[in-house]
């Protein structure tokens, strides 16, 4: 839960949060605008069950769809495994 809040605070923003990184920085980092990013998340959630949030084996909410897409975009942009970003 804390990690999702931090991701929202730094990258995404919504009606409760103003993102730390402005639109230009977000686009430079992920090569898409926030508007396109949100469209990608919504489309993937509708068409692929992997990108939906599910309850895990411990009866807790799993990884949020926005975090999955951010990881995928970072992996495609930088060309390295997701595990390289675990400390960021």
């Amino acid at each position: 839960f804390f990690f999702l809040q931090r991701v929202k605070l730094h990258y995404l923003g919504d009606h409760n949060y103003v993102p730390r990184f402005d639109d230009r920085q977000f686009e430079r980092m992920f090569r898409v605008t926030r508007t396109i990013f949100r469209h990608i998340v919504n489309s993937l959630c509708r068409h692929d069950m992997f990108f939906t949030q599910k309850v895990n084996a411990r009866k807790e909410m799993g990884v949020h769809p926005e975090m999955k897409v951010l990881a995928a975009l970072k992996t495609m942009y930088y060309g390295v495994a997701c595990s390289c970003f675990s400390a960021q």
Side-chain angles (χ1 to χ4, degrees):
F1 179 74
F2 173 73
F3 186 70
L4 176 61
Q5 295 300 332
R6 195 169 130 205
V7 167
K8 283 188 176 284
L9 180 66
H10 287 231
Y11 298 111
L12 303 173
D14 60 17
H15 61 279
N16 294 325
Y17 301 100
V18 176
R20 174 179 287 181
F21 301 111
D22 64 19
D23 291 337
R24 195 174 125 248
Q25 291 170 314
F26 183 90
E27 187 172 352
R28 197 174 107 219
M29 194 174 310
F30 297 107
R31 300 291 186 183
V32 295
T33 63
R34 277 193 181 92
T35 305
I36 292 173
F37 170 77
R38 292 188 195 289
H39 178 73
I40 291 169
V41 170
N42 291 334
S43 294
L44 286 172
C45 287
R46 282 194 310 268
H47 292 91
D48 192 337
M49 290 298 294
F50 172 78
F51 289 98
T52 59
Q53 190 174 24
K54 303 174 202 77
V55 177
N56 64 21
R58 293 179 59 190
K59 306 294 186 225
E60 298 170 343
M61 293 305 291
V63 179
H64 197 273
E66 292 173 337
M67 292 172 56
K68 291 178 182 182
V69 175
L70 283 174
L73 289 174
K74 257 187 157 177
T75 299
M76 289 188 311
Y77 175 64
Y78 292 106
V80 295
C82 287
S83 60
C84 293
F85 305 115
S86 60
Q88 295 181 359

